[in-house]
């Protein structure tokens, strides 16, 4: 029987190993999901909410164990892991509480002699394909609203974080969720693509790379089902001349390097007005010096390894290419003794003298590296921010709210931030443009993608 392995970036050991589900297991899971969905959809919203909150309580009870799973599976420092669990619960509770509004029938208004309304009805079985970088946060965006809407869920997690699928299952089981409403499968990517074509699947939610997103789309092309795709970003920030520079530097360095830069909405390029450029760069370098790269299981570590030696080599290659083209690296890797070529341990890096002719400013990095460019105007910053194949978020640091709103209207992005970055507010839809994908999750809007309208047009007797 073939096995799925989680190779830890901490020391290269096999942290977890699970057998791949065979065809009989996959069939059983899907059949159970279909049968359970009919019964679950008949349950009242209040009952679903009670079980949803119990799931949240169960997840919180296992925070310490989850922290170790994250550290050893994908390198997240244990000092930062509780934040993901809290964020997962925050989003779950918001979507539970928003369900009544998000699922409320629509009344188009009175019409003499008729009763008219539109119900939101569940789609059926929702297939969630989740990534390793934020294994709880990315998955919960679809899982909780799908369940609240009366769907059932099958989760396939990345091999790197396959244990997180089991943590979801554990928490839902402890909450008393009816059997079959939430299930998980350990399967390969190829099997997951094939599963998209199964007629028992009604909706697919995928978070991951652009090439795999295209593969998922192709797999669904012969079926009339909805597909949600969140495919990453190359998110920009703009520091205006009127910004609080110390505040901007602290927040943008965190936005670039938190989770070792492995965030689809992490800051990967910064544009700074020439009037404050030198001050900002100096402060950003100083903030970067506060990071401690090391074993994520050590509570003193605040920068863990990237997910693999292969990922680290790709990131180092981007840096080397940029320097060869004239960029200047401001951080001395020797200040981070754990940094070792050939390993996942990678020092953070700030690059200046960068241009959009360099891969590091156009190609998704997914690591603790950020390029900083000097600009002379809002117009130049807007042009450069839009010069990207992606469009997930854009962050602007300024004290002029009206100016930022005007700039934001011209940026090709799903979310515009002012004086913050790298954060999802569950009250707002999470969405993007261009190669970032299609669809949206979270907020009351998130329920639109997980239900279909059913119209009632009744002539009264």
């Amino acid at each position: 029987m073939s096995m799925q392995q989680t190779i830890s970036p901490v020391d290269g050991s096999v942290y977890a190993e699970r057998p791949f589900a065979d065809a009989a297991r996959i069939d059983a899971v899907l059949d159970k999901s279909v049968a359970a969905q009919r019964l679950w959809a008949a349950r009242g919203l209040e009952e679903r909410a009670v079980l949803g909150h119990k799931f949240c309580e169960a997840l919180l009870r296992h925070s310490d164990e989850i922290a170790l799973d994250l550290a050893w599976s994908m390198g997240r420092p244990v000092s930062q892991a509780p934040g993901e669990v809290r964020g997962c619960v925050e989003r779950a509770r918001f979507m539970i509480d928003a369900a009544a509004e998000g699922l409320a029938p629509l009344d188009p208004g009175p019409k003499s002699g008729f009763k008219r309304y539109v119900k939101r009805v569940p789609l059926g079985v929702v297939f969630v394909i989740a990534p390793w970088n934020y294994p709880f946060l990315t998955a919960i965006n679809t899982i909780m609203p799908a369940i609240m809407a009366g769907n059932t869920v099958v989760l396939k997690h990345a091999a790197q974080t396959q244990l997180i699928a089991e943590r979801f299952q554990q928490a839902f089981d402890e909450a008393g969720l009816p059997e079959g409403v939430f299930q998980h499968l350990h399967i390969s990517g190829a099997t997951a693509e094939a599963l998209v074509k199964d007629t028992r699947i009604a909706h697919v939610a995928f978070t991951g790379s652009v090439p795999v997103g295209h593969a998922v789309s192709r797999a669904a092309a012969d079926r009339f089902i909805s597909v949600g795709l969140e495919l990453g970003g190359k998110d920009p920030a703009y520091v205006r001349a009127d910004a609080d520079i110390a505040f901007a530097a602290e927040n943008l360095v965190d936005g670039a390097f938190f989770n070792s830069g492995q965030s689809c909405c992490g800051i990967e390029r910064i544009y700074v007005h020439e009037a404050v450029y030198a001050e900002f760069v100096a402060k950003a370098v100083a903030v970067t010096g506060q990071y401690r790269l090391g074993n994520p299981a050590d509570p003193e570590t605040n920068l863990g390894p990237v997910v693999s030696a292969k990922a680290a080599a790709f990131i180092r290659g981007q840096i080397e290419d940029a320097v060869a083209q004239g960029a200047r690296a401001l951080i001395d890797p020797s200040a981070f003794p754990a940094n070792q070529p050939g390993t996942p341990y990678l020092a953070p890096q700030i690059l200046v003298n960068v241009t959009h002719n360099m891969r590091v400013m156009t190609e998704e990095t997914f690591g603790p590296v950020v390029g900083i460019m000097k600009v002379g105007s809002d117009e130049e910053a807007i042009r450069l921010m839009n010069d990207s194949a992606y469009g997930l978020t854009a962050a602007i640091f300024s004290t002029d709210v009206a100016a930022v709103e005007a700039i934001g209207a011209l940026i090709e992005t799903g979310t515009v931030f002012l004086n913050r970055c790298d954060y999802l507010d569950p009250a707002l839809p999470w969405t993007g443009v261009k190669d970032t994908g299609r669809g949206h999750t979270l907020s009351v809007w998130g329920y639109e993608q997980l239900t279909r309208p059913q119209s009632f047009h009744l002539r009264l007797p």
Side-chain angles (χ1 to χ4, degrees):
M1 180 179 291
S2 56
M3 305 291 284
Q4 177 170 267
Q5 291 186 329
T6 296
I7 306 299
S8 175
V10 177
D11 59 5
S13 64
V14 177
Y15 182 63
E17 192 172 44
R18 297 290 186 273
F20 282 119
D22 60 16
R25 166 69 177 159
I26 293 170
D27 269 340
V29 164
L30 292 183
D31 284 343
K32 184 179 286 187
S33 289
V34 171
Q37 194 273 322
R38 299 189 188 103
L39 298 174
W40 180 244
R43 300 279 189 106
L45 198 55
E46 289 185 6
E47 185 179 356
R48 295 180 209 160
V50 168
L51 294 173
H53 284 300
K54 286 184 177 180
F55 158 82
C56 294
E57 294 158 9
L59 204 62
L60 289 170
R61 284 197 298 271
H62 295 285
S63 290
D64 290 345
E65 304 149 58
I66 288 169
L68 287 175
D69 280 345
L70 292 174
W72 285 94
S73 294
M74 46 77 65
R76 176 83 53 77
V78 290
S79 60
Q80 298 169 352
E84 174 146 4
V85 178
R86 287 194 301 269
C88 177
V89 167
E90 176 193 19
R91 294 183 193 179
R93 291 198 191 282
F94 180 89
M95 295 308 293
I96 293 166
D97 294 341
E101 180 182 355
L103 298 171
L106 173 67
D107 180 358
K111 180 180 179 182
S112 180
F114 290 88
K115 181 179 182 181
R116 303 178 303 168
Y117 59 96
V118 182
K119 287 179 63 178
R120 292 197 176 279
V121 299
L123 299 175
V125 179
V126 172
F127 184 32
V128 178
I129 307 173
W132 52 264
N133 63 317
Y134 282 95
F136 285 98
L137 291 176
T138 53
I140 200 66
N141 291 354
T142 299
I143 290 172
M144 187 54 72
I147 288 174
M148 287 300 300
N151 301 288
T152 53
V153 171
V154 175
L155 171 65
K156 176 256 187 286
H157 228 304
Q160 200 67 40
T161 43
Q162 58 182 324
L163 293 187
I164 302 309
E166 297 178 7
R167 291 294 185 188
F168 271 106
Q169 190 74 62
Q170 177 187 39
F172 276 120
D173 290 349
E174 289 182 10
L177 194 71
E179 190 175 351
V181 175
F182 175 88
Q183 298 175 91
H184 70 281
L185 285 169
H186 295 310
I187 54 177
S188 68
T191 301
E193 286 178 33
L195 209 56
V196 172
K197 301 183 180 192
D198 194 291
T199 57
R200 289 166 289 188
I201 300 294
H203 175 80
V204 179
F206 170 77
T207 304
S209 70
V210 171
V212 179
H214 282 300
V216 171
S217 286
R218 285 192 296 270
D222 291 334
R223 302 191 57 216
F224 300 117
I225 63 171
S226 54
V227 177
L229 302 169
E230 186 194 328
L231 307 179
K234 187 73 181 174
D235 286 7
Y238 172 35
V239 181
R240 299 182 79 234
D242 64 346
D244 179 330
I245 302 305
F247 179 82
E250 181 181 351
N251 280 270
L252 288 173
V253 169
D254 178 71
F257 298 157
F258 188 83
N259 202 39
S260 299
Q262 299 169 127
S263 173
C264 55
C265 62
I267 296 299
E268 295 209 359
R269 49 200 176 105
I270 302 174
Y271 307 99
V272 184
H273 193 277
E274 59 191 5
V276 293
Y277 176 81
E279 180 185 0
F280 176 84
V281 170
K283 290 190 183 312
V285 169
V287 173
T288 302
Q290 299 170 11
Y291 280 85
R292 297 176 300 279
L293 174 67
N295 187 321
D298 181 348
E300 296 301 311
T301 295
N302 61 358
L303 186 69
V306 295
V307 70
S308 67
K310 180 180 178 182
F314 171 82
I315 298 162
R316 287 187 172 100
Q318 277 193 342
I319 296 170
E320 290 164 4
D321 285 356
V323 170
Q325 290 179 261
R328 188 158 58 93
L330 300 184
I331 306 301
D332 182 357
S334 68
F336 298 85
N339 175 74
Q340 294 294 330
T343 78
Y345 290 88
L346 177 70
Q349 189 55 266
I350 293 174
L351 296 170
V352 294
N353 297 345
V354 289
T355 73
H356 280 213
N357 293 321
M358 300 173 183
R359 292 193 300 133
V360 76
M361 294 299 284
T362 59
E363 190 177 72
E364 190 168 26
T365 300
F366 231 57
V369 179
V370 67
I372 305 178
M373 285 182 69
K374 184 190 300 183
V375 297
S377 66
D378 289 347
E379 291 72 23
E380 185 180 7
I382 292 166
R383 178 179 62 80
L384 290 167
M385 284 191 281
N386 285 340
D387 183 26
S388 174
Y390 298 98
L392 185 53
T393 78
I396 305 171
F397 283 75
S398 172
T399 55
D400 189 334
V401 176
V404 169
E405 288 177 315
I407 293 168
L410 300 174
I411 302 174
E412 298 160 353
T413 189
T415 296
V416 176
F417 290 117
L418 169 61
N419 296 332
R420 76 175 315 165
C421 59
D422 192 24
Y423 176 79
L424 279 71
D425 183 335
L428 301 174
W430 189 242
T431 186
V433 298
K434 299 189 277 191
D435 279 357
T436 287
R438 68 167 181 257
H440 50 270
T441 56
L442 297 176
S443 79
V444 292
W445 290 51
Y447 281 103
E448 291 189 354
Q449 193 156 288
L450 297 164
T451 57
R452 63 175 177 83
Q454 183 181 25
S455 298
F456 284 77
H457 190 177
L458 312 176
R459 187 190 299 271
L460 299 177

